[in-house]
């Protein structure tokens, strides 16, 4: 091996039933570097990582590790830890029923003289670890009491606290806010100083350029190349990931709806849900894409949920197409022609053990009622139609949905709601955790749907994508609708930021 | 001074304990005249249920990993039959007890291997174990056996040892002071209980069980040896069942094919009433202990009353199980709500 190389994987090939996930892929990690592993959803990043750590069994290829003779084959995370590889997997992999401290130390607990675990000692050390990270938690409380962001930080803290030569972080920033990401970067940089090789997977391109030294790009399970970060500017990186140039990213034609003349589809008057959203008025027109902006936790999702009946509104009135209606639960909303793609797709969206077809027809079936099954033929048609329309990458309509990559799962859920032929669709973070290419496809789809006369509520943390798709934006702050922006001059990055921040307009 | 925080699971345990106290106090109020308020009544509940305490502790361990072991009742029958026949054939009490314990270890190792390494559903594996053990009992003998003083004096003596407690006695009608006493089985059961409690709380193995029940995939990804830990859980369950079988045998001094029929369900219901979730990751042997006591108290009350039909304990247990499942799901719902 080359000098300074701590891990080298060559010719890794691995197939899942029906999908060749990796084909002759290589990865070289050097001492004291942060190495970005990039690729679209489904490119095989997580699979490669799981091959390195022994979760996936690859068919051919070799892994060499500095200081160990001959190829290394891990059979479990434990083996990987023993050869100095510590990993944070993409899905938060902790135990919700154990305390934060236990999650940090389980499997490597300090022991007392009589070989029992030393709770006091690891509770103290855990508290220090979390305090050092600037995260205020009571480490003796169960993990399930904390938010996803904190859980993610715990997973990171666990991996970082283990002595390792290689640290692998698979999309660790997906549910962190800017401040937490900053803390993570400080941590990563200090580990780099100590000579640890870090593999970093992320969908945020700016994060790559903020900390990484080198980039390996995968596409469709194949190795595209390895580049020093200076030699691969953003546009080239995106091109390498997608295999095509990406000048059409911005080319989304927004339809300018004539709001005054269009039919009002949703008309909320003083609608509110105690504790989450304060009373708000909102009109949504036919063929309009309305964005909902605000910080995380400002009540964006809750606004949508109160319209959709997921949180039953306790005051106010709601008119749908001019008719006053009472929505007690989501099925009422569905019957009125609404659909909602929830933001927590794991908890509220996908049903992992069902096939793609079954996941797609779920909402249509619910709308029809359990006792009127949809003929199989029709189900298959629907599934094939949407797999094609949304170009869902999968081995076939009968594949289990949890075999798909995150972005493709997201498309399946989207298909579920499109299949109900809803006139009013609420999309809560439809592009979260998916790659740039799919993102722009979904954005295009949203605009296309609006052109066909559907009304869409688009909730997103990314202002730029809402600016590209929305005709109008609602701004939320602390559970209150504080502003409504429309028109070229108000719908700008600065304008929206200022409205969200709530202060004076920020300049420069 | 750290504030004691009560979470849903501790609260559940407190409810179980409170329920036991209320039920027992009710029994004392109603049947005090029939001797229900004597300490000995309580100790007799322990004595009758010593075997069950051991088995239910083992089941708790398995249930923590989100598994189940329905072979325990049949294994008790097989163990008792082996004990009875072995001693009848002239083998000593101590070697026979060792043999039974070794059989428990092997039985558990096979089931544990199938569940842990071959990843077969625990329900199926232990159902096969149940049929096997019950069948083997009949193969060994279909007779009603009873262990008498002639057959094995040592075992007989062991069964009749009364360890007197220095408090809580009463003076009977003849004016003789009756000191309360417990049997050897009770001592064994309480020892098992304490050891398992400590094991679950203070050893790597114990904590791994909780981790696996919380999320098996996560436990593996955190580097725990899931397969071996699961195997060990089943070994422990069968081992404790065999120990329980010895306690059981000391109490009944009998063996038959029909013995301990449905005991696995008693053990499971005790664990569930004690707050152990079938979905794994939550539970504690203290809860299970009170679960056994509640079941035992119901039977004792029905027995003391003397007029109630013997089907009442089952119906009451059913009602309690129902109550606890409802309470558990209410707690789960509240927790979700607080989070969301
Ligand atoms: N457990 C699995 N079973 C079947 N196919 C899988 C499984 N995990 C991943 N895949 C497939 O392997 C490919 C690579 O997925 P993944 O490594 O998760 O991509 P990435 O992490 O780059 O988004 C995808 O086509 C995905 O559908
Ligand atoms: Mg991935």
């Amino acid at each position: 091996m080359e000098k300074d190389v701590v891990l080298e994987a060559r010719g890794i090939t691995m197939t899942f039933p029906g999908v060749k996930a990796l084909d002759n892929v290589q990865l070289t990690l050097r001492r004291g570097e942060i190495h970005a592993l990039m690729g679209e959803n489904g490119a095989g990043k997580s699979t490669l990582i799981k091959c390195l750590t022994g979760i996936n069994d690859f068919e051919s290829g070799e892994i060499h590790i500095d200081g160990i003779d001959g190829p290394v084959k891990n059979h479990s995370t434990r083996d990987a830890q023993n050869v100095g590889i510590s990993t944070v997997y993409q899905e938060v992999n902790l135990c919700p029923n154990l305390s934060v401290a236990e999650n940090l130390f389980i499997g490597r607990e300090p022991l007392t003289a009589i070989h029992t675990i030393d709770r006091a000692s690891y509770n103290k050390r855990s508290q220090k670890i979390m305090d050092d990270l600037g995260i205020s938690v009571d480490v003796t409380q169960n993990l399930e009491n904390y938010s996803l962001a904190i859980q993610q930080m715990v997973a990171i803290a666990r991996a970082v606290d283990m002595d390792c030569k290689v640290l692998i972080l698979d999309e660790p920033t997906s549910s962190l806010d800017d401040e937490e990401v900053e803390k993570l970067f400080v941590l990563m940089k200090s580990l780099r100083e100590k000579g640890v090789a870090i593999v970093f997977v992320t969908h945020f391109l700016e994060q790559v350029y903020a900390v990484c030294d080198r980039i390996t790009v995968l596409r469709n399970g194949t190795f595209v190349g390895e580049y020093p970060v200076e030699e691969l500017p953003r546009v080239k990186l995106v091109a390498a990931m997608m295999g095509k140039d990406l000048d059409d990213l911005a080319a989304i034609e927004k339809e300018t709806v004539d709001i005054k003349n269009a039919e009002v589809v949703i008309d909320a008057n003083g609608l509110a849900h105690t504790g989450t959203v304060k009373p708000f008025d909102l009109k949504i027109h036919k063929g309009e894409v309305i964005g909902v902006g605000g910080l995380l936790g400002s009540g964006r999702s809750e606004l949508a949920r109160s319209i959709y009946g997921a949180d039953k509104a306790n005051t106010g009135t709601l008119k749908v197409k001019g008719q006053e209606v009472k929505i007690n639960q989501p099925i009422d909303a569905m019957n009125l022609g609404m659909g909602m793609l929830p933001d927590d797709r794991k908890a509220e969206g996908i049903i992992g053990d069902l096939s793609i077809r079954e996941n797609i027809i779920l909402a249509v079936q619910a709308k029809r009622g359990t006792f009127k099954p949809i003929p199989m033929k029709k189900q298959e048609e629907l599934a094939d139609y949407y797999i094609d329309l949304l170009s869902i990458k999968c081995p076939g309509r009968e594949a289990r949905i949890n075999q798909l990559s995150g972005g493709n799962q997201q498309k399946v859920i989207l298909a579920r709601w499109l299949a109900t032929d809803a006139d009013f669709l609420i999309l809560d973070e439809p592009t979260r955790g998916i790659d740039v290419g799919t993102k722009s496809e979904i954005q295009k789809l949203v605009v296309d749907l609006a052109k066909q006369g559907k009304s869409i509520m688009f909730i997103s943390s990314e202002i730029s994508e809402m600016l590209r798709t929305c005709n109008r934006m609602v701004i939320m702050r602390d559970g209150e609708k504080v502003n409504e922006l429309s028109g070229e001059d108000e719908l700008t990055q600065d304008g929206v930021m200022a409205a969200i921040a709530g202060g004076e307009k920020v300049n420069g | 001074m750290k504030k004691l925080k009560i979470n849903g699971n501790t609260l559940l345990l407190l409810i179980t304990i409170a329920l036991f106290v209320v039920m027992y106090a009710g029994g004392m109020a109603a049947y005090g005249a029939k001797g229900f308020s004597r300490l000995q009544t309580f100790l007799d509940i322990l004595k009758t249920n010593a075997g069950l305490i051991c088995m239910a502790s083992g089941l708790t361990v398995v249930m923590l990993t989100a598994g189940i072991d329905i072979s325990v009742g049949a294994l008790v029958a097989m163990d008792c039959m082996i004990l009875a026949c072995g001693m009848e054939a002239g083998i000593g009490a101590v070697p026979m007890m060792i043999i039974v314990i070794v059989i428990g270890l092997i039985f558990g190792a096979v089931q544990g291997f199938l569940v842990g390494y071959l990843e077969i559903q625990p329900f199926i594996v232990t159902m096969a174990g149940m049929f096997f053990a019950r069948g083997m009992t009949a193969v060994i003998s279909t007779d009603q056996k009873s262990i008498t003083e002639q057959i094995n004096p040592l075992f007989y003596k062991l069964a009749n040892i009364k360890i007197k407690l220095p408090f809580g006695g009463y003076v009977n009608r003849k004016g003789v002071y009756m000191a309360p006493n417990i049997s050897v089985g009770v001592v064994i059961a309480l020892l098992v209980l304490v050891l398992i409690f400590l094991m679950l709380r203070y050893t790597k193995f114990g904590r791994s069980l909780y981790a696996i029940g919380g999320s098996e995939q996560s436990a593996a990804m955190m580097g725990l040896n899931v397969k071996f830990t699961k195997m060990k859980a089943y070994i422990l369950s069968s081992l404790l069942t065999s120990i329980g079988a010895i306690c059981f045998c000391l109490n009944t001094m009998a063996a038959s094919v029909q013995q301990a029929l449905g005991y696995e369900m008693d053990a499971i219901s005790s664990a569930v009433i004690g707050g152990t979730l079938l979905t794994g990751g939550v539970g504690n042997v203290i809860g299970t202990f009170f679960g056994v006591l509640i079941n035992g108290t119901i039977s004792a009350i029905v027995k003391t009353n003397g007029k109630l039909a013997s089907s009442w304990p089952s119906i009451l247990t059913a009602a309690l199980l129902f109550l606890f499942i409802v309470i558990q799901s209410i707690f789960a719902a509240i927790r979700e709500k607080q989070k969301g």
Side-chain angles (χ1 to χ4, degrees), chain B residues 29-50:
Chain B
Y31 304 111
K34 291 188 179 178
F36 201 90
S37 48
R38 284 180 202 140
L39 181 60
Q40 191 60 47
T41 308
F42 176 73
L43 297 178
D44 285 342
I45 293 177
L46 282 183
K47 187 179 168 198
T48 327
N49 292 292

Side-chain angles (χ1 to χ4, degrees), chain A residues 82-111:
Chain A
N82 290 337
V83 294
I85 304 175
S86 168
T87 318
V88 177
Y89 295 97
Q90 182 169 8
E91 320 80 34
V92 174
N93 274 292
L94 298 168
C95 294
N97 62 328
L98 300 183
S99 72
V100 172
E102 279 192 294
N103 272 293
L104 284 170
F105 278 98
I106 192 148
R108 55 188 194 105
E109 301 96 336
L111 297 179

